[in-house]
Amino acid sequence: MPTPTASNADLLRRRSAAVPRGVATAFPIYADRAENAELWDVEGNRFVDFAGGIAVLNTGHRHPKVMAAVAAQAERFTHTAFQVAAYDSYIELAEALNARAPFKAPAKSILFTTGAEAVENAVKIARCATGRNGVITFSGAFHGRTLMTMAMTGKVLPYKRGFGSMPAEVYHLPFPVPQNGVTVADSLKALDFLFAADIGPDRVAAIVIEPVQGEGGFHPAPVELLKALREICDRHGILLIADEVQSGFARTGRLFAIEHSGVEPDLITMAKSLAGGFPLSGVLGKAEIMDRVEPGGLGGTYAGSPLACAAALAVLSVIEEEGLCARADAIGETIKARLETFATRNDLVPITAIRGLGAMIGFDIVTDRTGGAPDKETTARVTAKALAEGLILLSCGTHGNVIRILVPLTVGDAVLAEGLAKLERALTL
Ligand code: PMP
């Protein structure tokens, strides 16, 4: 049992002694309890949660319907291993996801536990279905910390340093970001060069893209790029994989962010908000592709945990019953409008490039509002000051200067307004 009287300082000291440095924690607070968009630490300090456990809590902390579904499942059984004795909730969830697939072809779904595991398995399925090896991803992308997904991740520090050689046949294209001076034409030209210099298109199994780049800085993939990739994939028999681990489940105002583009992916990776705080991930894809792997080639002891499946079924109903896609749009509008006013004020840190889809909103902190450089130090100061104000706020981005907002979509208007007021104070010079 945890010590009930533990202080943050005490836990930090014990953590430093017992847990390696390799797993970093953004803030020196230790959680005691949480509800919807609020969290209390072990000292009783209250925080408005704009992080949602890194995009896991679109339906908030401990949504009553999710908790009830998990409790009911726990009364029946907690684990059997789907490979040993399968269960209804896994099948029902697969059916529910297939019915919501953003493509016309018949769909199938398979479940895992973490986002990285979903991405790994999407690559395995794509390689098996195409008989090819090559995987193309983007600079700034984040796909996970396992060996293959680390290779696919487009950022060296801190994700790749010290971990030896990367798995072969992974290639990166520059991701189009106006602030980085990279256009869609640049990305497509780089793909032409890649096909000419490194790997012929006939050896590429998949192009993997986040419809909104998450860790890389909350950059929506331009529709023009997604359309061009779809066309190139069709021309060369390459599969297009949308990594929706961070952008999925109503965050952007649609169930999947790729729906904004009208482009149909072949496979989709899902995790995070799929199960409202319980560990669950999956691959949803065209049935004809998904069925190419021989029995036994996919799975995992905990993959598709019954507790998490029950949670995910509740999450899907909550998204629909509470209209969370529309709510994401409304929250996004409120946040953007407020940020636009912040961007004009001289008494606040200079912010620019307010962007995002639905409630997946990010902005840059720069040294100077008119064409300044990315300001990582000030960004770190802002998140630390936000914490002192009682707001959990995450940064991200290749240059570490992006603030991202991942507030639960179930947040009430009052708590949202309170969080934005805290953000304003955190930005004050
Ligand atoms: N893909 C994307 C787009 C992500 O944002 C993340 C996690 N931030 C992952 C994959 C990896 O997920 P996990 O940490 O659950 O392995």
Side-chain angles (χ1 to χ4, degrees), residues 114-116 119 142-144 210 215 243 245-246 272:
T114 67
V119 176
F142 186 87
H143 296 295
E210 294 162 87
E215 303 301 315
D243 183 348
V245 166
Q246 188 149 171
K272 293 195 187 265

Side-chain angles (χ1 to χ4, degrees), residues 183-204:
T183 64
V184 171
D186 294 333
S187 301
L188 294 174
K189 192 191 270 180
L191 182 57
D192 276 346
F193 282 127
L194 185 76
F195 284 160
D198 292 313
I199 182 167
D202 59 335
R203 286 188 43 239
V204 176

Side-chain angles (χ1 to χ4, degrees), residues 103-143:
F103 49 76
K104 287 183 274 306
K108 285 198 173 183
S109 291
I110 183 164
L111 302 173
F112 302 100
T113 308
T114 67
E117 212 186 350
V119 176
E120 290 268 348
N121 279 282
V123 170
K124 282 171 66 179
I125 294 165
R127 283 186 166 175
C128 198
T130 59
R132 305 169 177 188
N133 287 334
V135 175
I136 298 175
T137 65
F138 289 84
S139 57
F142 186 87
H143 296 295

Side-chain angles (χ1 to χ4, degrees), residues 139 174-184 187 213 216 219 222 355 364:
S139 57
F175 189 83
V177 175
Q179 299 92 294
N180 296 343
V182 180
T183 64
V184 171
S187 301
Q213 217 173 52
H219 301 293
R355 58 187 175 271
D364 289 359

Side-chain angles (χ1 to χ4, degrees), residues 50-51 218 251 331 335 339 359-363 393-394 403-407 416 420 423:
F50 271 15
F218 274 39
R251 171 55 51 189
I331 288 172
I335 295 172
L339 293 176
M360 191 166 180
I361 308 284
F363 60 88
L393 185 70
L394 292 179
I403 295 289
R404 56 172 151 172
I405 299 177
L406 287 164
V407 65
L416 178 61
L420 289 170
L423 174 59

